[in-house]
Amino acid sequence: MPARLIDGLALAQSIRAEVKNEVAQKAPAVGRAPGLAVILVGENPASQVYVRNKVKACQEAGLHSQLIELPLTTSQSALVAEIDRLNHDRTIDGILVQLPLPDHIDDHVIIHAISPEKDVDGFHPANAGALLIGRPRFRPCTPYAVMRMLASVQAPLRGAEAVVVGASNIVGKPLALMLLQAGATITLCNSKTQNLAEKTRRADILVSAVGRPKLITADMVKPGAVVIDVGINRLANGALAGDVDFDAVRPVAGAISPVPGGVGPMTIAMLLVNTLESFHEHTR
Ligand code: NAD
């Protein structure tokens, strides 16, 4: 029997509807809607699509969103000044700076400049540290999305073997911490990992976040495993694909998420959830 499909698009739609409902209930009483500021520096076409999708999702859910598009030549200090202005803007609950930034700007300086209370991406060291010690404030949106997708198929996490392939600060590492917190035994793999297939075959929960098409083949998957594909790859024919060889893996897995229509839309939904949580915090 082919694996159950984890439909990120449908799940994201239902979460966005819940957010919209909550905003409609609370905003009139508070006198304002939750506010998200999205900053884009330069004209990277993929980033332009991502930020527009985020802003559109905000508008559809009744959030107030501010898209700040700055030229490629923007200096690091000018960007920090803009962030500082937003840190003090009482109509803004969340600040997101779209990555990657141009080479002359240091990501770490910028992430550090965002107030941890408005860091809805969860990348600030204070929020990363809070997650590490099991007291998260904002969970980074992509791993948070993966956790919600696992919950949607009631994947048992306590005592499960979870293997995360890819160990970046924005996906793999925080996801491994969230799975650990949920009681899973985690294996976190990176580009230096020896004999990857031996590790992935142990996984009850297998997540790939690398950015390499067909990295995960059917022989690397334990029968019945829940497989979540975070990867986004543009193929030579222009199509989008994940890291998992979907057609080959689906007959082996118990549940599987597609690309597109999986983690991508869910990541945006969780950004709205984080902004709403921040709004609740700021309007208590
Ligand atoms: P990254 O380049 O920062 O990190 C990639 C990680 O994969 C590194 O830890 C690296 O060591 C590891 N890796 C590389 N080759 C490997 C191999 N052969 N075997 C095992 N590990 C290997 O990437 P990132 O920012 O974490 O993104 C990863 C992928 O997820 C990309 O395709 C990206 O587009 C996608 N992504 C999707 C979303 C979403 O919303 N769906 C969000 C963020 C990232």
Side-chain angles (χ1 to χ4, degrees):
M1 198 171 69
R4 179 171 170 191
L5 192 71
I6 305 175
D7 183 347
L9 208 54
L11 193 56
Q13 268 161 3
S14 78
I15 291 171
R16 284 163 59 167
E18 279 167 31
V19 169
K20 185 174 181 172
N21 231 337
E22 252 188 78
V23 171
Q25 276 174 24
K26 186 165 175 184
V30 175
R32 70 173 181 91
L36 176 71
V38 180
I39 305 180
L40 174 65
V41 183
E43 292 176 1
N44 177 324
S47 294
Q48 283 175 328
V49 173
Y50 293 144
V51 298
R52 279 181 201 141
N53 286 341
K54 288 169 186 173
V55 168
K56 192 163 157 260
C58 279
Q59 286 163 349
E60 283 171 8
L63 279 76
H64 156 66
S65 68
Q66 209 176 317
L67 173 59
I68 300 163
E69 292 183 273
L70 300 173
L72 186 66
T73 51
T74 304
S75 68
Q76 181 168 294
S77 57
L79 180 54
V80 169
E82 185 62 26
I83 291 169
D84 203 45
R85 182 184 71 74
L86 294 164
N87 282 341
H88 292 96
D89 184 337
R90 296 174 71 92
T91 67
I92 293 298
D93 301 288
I95 303 170
L96 181 154
V97 179
Q98 185 65 42
L99 302 177
L101 286 165
D103 289 345
H104 66 277
I105 299 179
D106 183 346
D107 292 11
H108 294 285
V109 171
I110 298 308
I111 290 168
H112 217 270
I114 300 172
S115 162
E117 282 84 40
K118 297 190 179 186
D119 169 40
V120 284
D121 254 343
F123 297 162
H124 190 287
N127 288 325
L131 178 64
L132 179 74
I133 61 169
R135 304 286 304 274
R137 175 166 32 200
F138 295 117
R139 296 162 178 85
C141 302
T142 300
Y144 198 4
V146 173
M147 295 303 285
R148 283 293 277 266
M149 292 165 81
L150 292 172
S152 77
V153 289
Q154 287 98 35
L157 299 181
R158 278 167 70 114
E161 290 274 352
V163 177
V164 178
V165 187
S168 70
N169 286 337
I170 64 169
V171 189
K173 277 190 221 167
L175 177 60
L177 290 171
M178 289 179 202
L179 288 162
L180 181 66
Q181 183 76 16
T185 300
I186 50 168
T187 303
L188 182 55
C189 305
N190 60 30
S191 58
K192 314 290 184 301
T193 298
Q194 302 289 310
N195 204 346
L196 183 63
E198 188 187 277
K199 317 280 186 293
T200 59
R201 269 197 294 270
R202 288 205 302 254
D204 303 307
I205 310 288
L206 175 59
V207 182
S208 185
V210 171
R212 236 179 88 176
K214 299 203 177 176
L215 176 69
I216 307 295
T217 49
D219 60 312
M220 295 168 76
V221 177
K222 179 176 171 176
V226 179
V227 179
I228 307 277
D229 193 350
V230 180
I232 302 177
N233 304 290
R234 181 73 64 186
L235 303 179
N237 65 6
L240 275 189
D243 291 347
V244 177
D245 185 353
F246 183 88
D247 293 335
V249 169
R250 191 168 185 196
V252 182
I256 187 167
S257 73
V259 178
V263 178
M266 275 297 290
T267 293
I268 295 183
M270 301 322 286
L271 173 66
L272 300 189
V273 168
N274 276 349
T275 306
L276 182 63
E277 282 173 14
S278 182
F279 172 68
H280 288 323
E281 205 53 48
H282 290 144
T283 53
R284 230 175 254 288

